[in-house]
Structures are given as structure tokens and as C-alpha cells.
């Protein structure tokens, strides 16, 4: 876990650069909104995130879901603490072959040592593709 300070929530360029330096360099994730109470990001659906049958891989949806929840949770951690995923579950509702999906994460519980976030992933027509819940722990950055 990096102890590098998190960018300000309104600096989307910095958030997107940070994402590209990690798993976002492999999976095409782009932040649209970053705040303590809501994080939104999109992901391109193409061959890079397909499973062998040519549709969006459930694991790619989970990466997107945990990414937006982790950013939101990190923003809600006390100074010197960061958020790490403890558990995530996801229901994959419908297949998606190509286009864009948008994940919206909102907190359900923000506690001193743990947080729970709900994430909805929808397509361009607002159809639900995946719904997930992510539990994260607040841990020291050192």
C-alpha cells in the first residue's frame, strides 16, 4: 500500500493518472467523480475485459467495483490510514459485449475501522449490469 498522499477529490486528472499507474494501466478505468459520499468511474468494454465467450468478464466488473469503493473509503479514512478490501460480492445481472459501463459507489456504513459500500454498474442505457457490495478495512499506511 502506498503512503503517497491521495489527490484532492476534485483533481480528476490526478486520480486518473494514479489509476493508470496501477491496475488501471491494464483495465481501462476512468474516474468521473470522486468525493467522500460518491465515486463514479467508467470502464471501456472491449476485448481487454472480455471472458472467453466475448462478453464482459465478471472479474473486470469486480475490479471496477472495488476500485471505486476503495477510493471512496480511502477518502473517509483518518489521516495516516488507508482502505483495503476485506470482502466483495457481486451479482452479474446481464452480459455486455462492448461500449461503456459506469460504476457508482456510495457508502452504506462508514465506521472507525471498517466501511461498507454498494456499487451499481450500469450500461449506456442505464441497464443494470452488475451490483456489488464491498467491505473495506481502515489500516495504517506504514
Amino acid at each position: 500500500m502506498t503512503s503517497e498522499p491521495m489527490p484532492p477529490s476534485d483533481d480528476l486528472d490526478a486520480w486518473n493518472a494514479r489509476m493508470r499507474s496501477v491496475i488501471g494501466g491494464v483495465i481501462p478505468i476512468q474516474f468521473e467523480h470522486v468525493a467522500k459520499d460518491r465515486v463514479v468511474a467508467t470502464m471501456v468494454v472491449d476485448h481487454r475485459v472480455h471472458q472467453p465467450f466475448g462478453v464482459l468478464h465478471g472479474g473486470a466488473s469486480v475490479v471496477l467495483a472495488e476500485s471505486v469503493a476503495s477510493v471512496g473509503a480511502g477518502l473517509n479514512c483518518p489521516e495516516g490510514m488507508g482502505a483495503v478490501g476485506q470482502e466483495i460480492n457481486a451479482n452479474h445481472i446481464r452480459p455486455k459485449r462492448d461500449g461503456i459501463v459506469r460504476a457508482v459507489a456510495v457508502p452504506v456504513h462508514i465506521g472507525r475501522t471498517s466501511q461498507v459500500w454498494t456499487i451499481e454498474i450500469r450500461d449506456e442505457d442505464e441497464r443494470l449490469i452488475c451490483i456489488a457490495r464491498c467491505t473495506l478495512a481502515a489500516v495504517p499506511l506504514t
Side-chain angles (χ1 to χ4, degrees), residues 32-141:
E32 292 185 337
H33 179 83
V34 175
K36 286 183 166 187
D37 62 346
R38 185 170 177 264
V39 177
V40 181
T42 59
M43 180 174 68
V44 175
V45 179
D46 62 17
H47 70 280
R48 295 172 290 181
V49 295
H50 281 172
Q51 45 97 305
F53 300 107
V55 295
L56 176 60
H57 194 293
S61 293
V62 170
V63 167
L64 176 61
E66 188 164 339
S67 295
V68 290
S70 294
V71 167
L75 289 171
N76 282 286
C77 284
E79 190 170 333
M81 303 286 276
V84 295
Q86 285 187 299
E87 189 271 342
I88 188 165
N89 68 56
N91 295 101
H92 307 288
I93 308 300
R94 72 174 65 242
K96 178 81 174 151
R97 289 198 179 277
D98 55 28
I100 303 282
V101 292
R102 177 171 284 104
V104 177
V106 294
V108 174
H109 165 75
I110 298 176
R112 188 175 51 78
T113 60
S114 69
Q115 298 182 37
V116 178
W117 287 69
T118 297
I119 306 96
E120 289 188 1
I121 300 175
R122 295 181 177 271
D123 69 8
E124 303 93 335
D125 297 320
E126 290 297 315
R127 293 178 298 202
L128 188 62
I129 302 299
C130 175
I131 188 161
R133 187 184 69 227
C134 187
T135 304
L136 303 107
V139 298
L141 290 174

